[in-house]
Amino acid sequence: MKRVAIVVAAVALVWCPSLGSAPQTWVRYPIAPASVRAEIVAIADMNVDGWDDVVYTSWDNCQVRLATNNQNGTFTDSLLIGSATQCVPALFQARNVEVAFALGGRTVPQVFVSAYQGGQHMYVEIGGTWTKFTIDSSTYGHAGIAVAHINQDGLPDVVTAKQGFSGAPGEVKVWKNLDSGQFQLMDSFVVQDPTGVVIADVDKDGSNDVVVSDSDGALWFRNGGGFTFPLTGSAILRGVGSTSKVTAADLDRDGRTDYIVVSQASGVYTVNGTSLGSGTLRSSANGGYFAATGFVDYPDDGQLDFGVSYGGPSHRIDFFRRVGGSYAVETVTTNYVTGRSIAVADLLHDGTRQLVTSSYGDGTVDWWKRQ
């Protein structure tokens, strides 16, 4: 049943050691070439060799691609899902990608794709071939997909977001994983203009809730048990304009989930989990239509830092290094054209974490190391 809610961009997390007077220089290394026209990245060990690989979507090429970690800082790029010669309709304008073990008895994780005009699907590797299982077959406006436990039955479930068009509002849907390749629609609620979804336990009651970014900030919808959600959302942060995907993490280690909200117009905000509804502006850099946040884990000082890739007009990447209760902002680059996403991984197996980014303007996927 659809219900109306007035609801009014991605991030990487890092535990950072005491950096002192260390040089604030970031060096860029290639993962995938410009010809791939990269969109969104996800990190996963796809060939089960113990090393993180990079899975990413290609909007223009209607593809999901794999950059296999060569275990020496270089990667081998290849087509994972789709066609090398024509656009597969299910992947038309492929945007969001998540990788997770959603089915029992599998050694290779499943790939979840949200294609703006192609639907939302799960792909399962069966006998060397990636087989499509459709979650939502509607063909326009898909704005996000999240994979995590909703009803605590041991199987990750799916939440999808779909933007409105032709005067119709957007919609968020909650799907139950049936462990068969099929997903059952359990609940849905209409939102004004969703730009992304996140699954997180906002109120720390043991049940995961749904966080939606939209045209006025971010809201959360409380899980009332299993798959029951309210008519209207509660504020994470409002009045900041359209946002990219919200990121959730315990930034201050107090046991509550905090949030990073990147506004397309006004900048980067953090929201403390104990004071939802108000945020602290950390940077006034313009986030553009796409912005992304990712957290990096350096294991020494217990401080959770994060990086933000701005989609434009800033065309930059910043690193927010947590110092006490505030953040020192380091510039990673001021020339990363139309950055789309950012993630974090220990690509080198050296105990540190590197930023992994995609640029639609440059077309590339890259990793960055702090020197």
Side-chain angles (χ1 to χ4, degrees):
M1 179 179 68
K2 296 182 180 179
R3 295 168 299 169
V4 176
I6 302 301
V7 181
V8 184
V11 179
L13 296 177
V14 184
W15 292 111
C16 187
S18 178
L19 300 176
S21 59
Q24 300 177 3
T25 300
W26 291 80
V27 180
R28 178 179 180 178
Y29 299 90
I31 292 177
S35 59
V36 301
R37 304 297 292 172
E39 186 75 9
I40 306 296
V41 300
I43 307 298
D45 180 6
M46 296 301 293
N47 57 356
V48 201
D49 64 353
W51 289 71
D52 282 334
D53 308 303
V54 180
V55 177
Y56 66 94
T57 52
S58 174
W59 173 282
D60 288 358
N61 298 330
C62 307
Q63 296 173 346
V64 180
R65 301 188 65 85
L66 170 64
T68 302
N69 193 334
N70 295 326
Q71 305 180 14
N72 60 4
T74 67
F75 293 79
T76 299
D77 184 72
S78 62
L79 175 66
L80 185 66
I81 303 168
S83 170
T85 60
Q86 61 185 347
C87 183
V88 176
L91 295 175
F92 184 42
Q93 297 180 335
R95 175 177 285 174
N96 303 91
V97 61
E98 297 270 347
V99 180
F101 282 97
L103 301 177
R106 298 283 172 176
T107 58
V108 176
Q110 288 72 65
V111 177
F112 294 80
V113 181
S114 178
Y116 189 71
Q117 293 196 56
Q120 292 161 319
H121 315 279
M122 177 181 71
Y123 289 86
V124 181
E125 191 274 331
I126 302 175
T129 300
W130 287 90
T131 301
K132 173 172 65 77
F133 294 85
T134 296
I135 300 170
D136 189 341
S137 60
S138 56
T139 56
Y140 193 85
H142 298 286
I145 189 166
V147 184
H149 296 286
I150 295 292
N151 65 337
Q152 308 301 328
D153 64 354
L155 296 171
D157 306 296
V158 172
V159 177
T160 59
K162 186 174 182 292
Q163 292 178 335
F165 65 98
S166 299
E171 188 176 26
V172 172
K173 297 179 180 179
V174 183
W175 307 82
K176 180 181 180 180
N177 183 354
L178 302 181
D179 197 26
S180 62
Q182 305 301 314
F183 292 82
Q184 180 182 352
L185 180 62
M186 301 298 292
D187 202 358
S188 66
F189 37 92
V190 173
V191 298
Q192 187 61 37
D193 192 14
T195 57
V197 288
V198 176
I199 301 172
D201 186 0
V202 177
D203 54 0
K204 290 300 175 185
D205 65 350
S207 297
N208 278 331
D209 310 298
V210 174
V211 178
V212 181
S213 53
D214 72 345
S215 57
D216 192 42
L219 292 176
W220 70 284
F221 293 79
R222 184 177 182 274
N223 186 348
F227 294 92
T228 304
F229 292 86
L231 283 171
T232 58
S234 301
I236 295 286
L237 183 65
R238 309 304 285 160
V240 297
S242 187
T243 63
S244 60
K245 180 180 176 181
V246 175
T247 302
D250 186 0
L251 297 174
D252 54 9
R253 305 298 302 277
D254 68 349
R256 301 284 296 193
T257 304
D258 308 305
Y259 305 88
I260 300 172
V261 180
V262 183
S263 166
Q264 294 175 17
S266 56
V268 180
Y269 297 82
T270 59
V271 179
N272 191 288
T274 61
S275 56
L276 298 180
S278 63
T280 301
L281 182 66
R282 300 297 183 180
S283 170
S284 58
N286 189 316
Y289 185 71
F290 280 91
T293 320
F295 298 89
V296 184
D297 183 6
Y298 294 99
D300 289 341
D301 74 344
Q303 298 291 310
L304 194 55
D305 313 304
F306 64 92
V308 175
S309 177
Y310 305 91
S314 300
H315 300 303
R316 61 188 290 142
I317 301 172
D318 286 336
F319 179 67
F320 291 72
R321 179 168 57 93
R322 189 174 178 88
V323 181
S326 188
Y327 291 89
V329 183
E330 298 176 9
T331 299
V332 177
T333 181
T334 58
N335 187 28
Y336 202 63
V337 182
T338 318
R340 282 297 205 244
S341 67
I342 186 168
V344 173
D346 183 1
L347 300 175
L348 307 177
H349 273 204
D350 63 356
T352 66
R353 297 291 187 272
Q354 296 80 46
L355 299 177
V356 180
T357 61
S358 62
S359 165
Y360 181 77
D362 292 344
T364 60
V365 180
D366 307 278
W367 66 274
W368 303 77
K369 183 175 178 62
R370 192 179 190 279
Q371 308 283 37

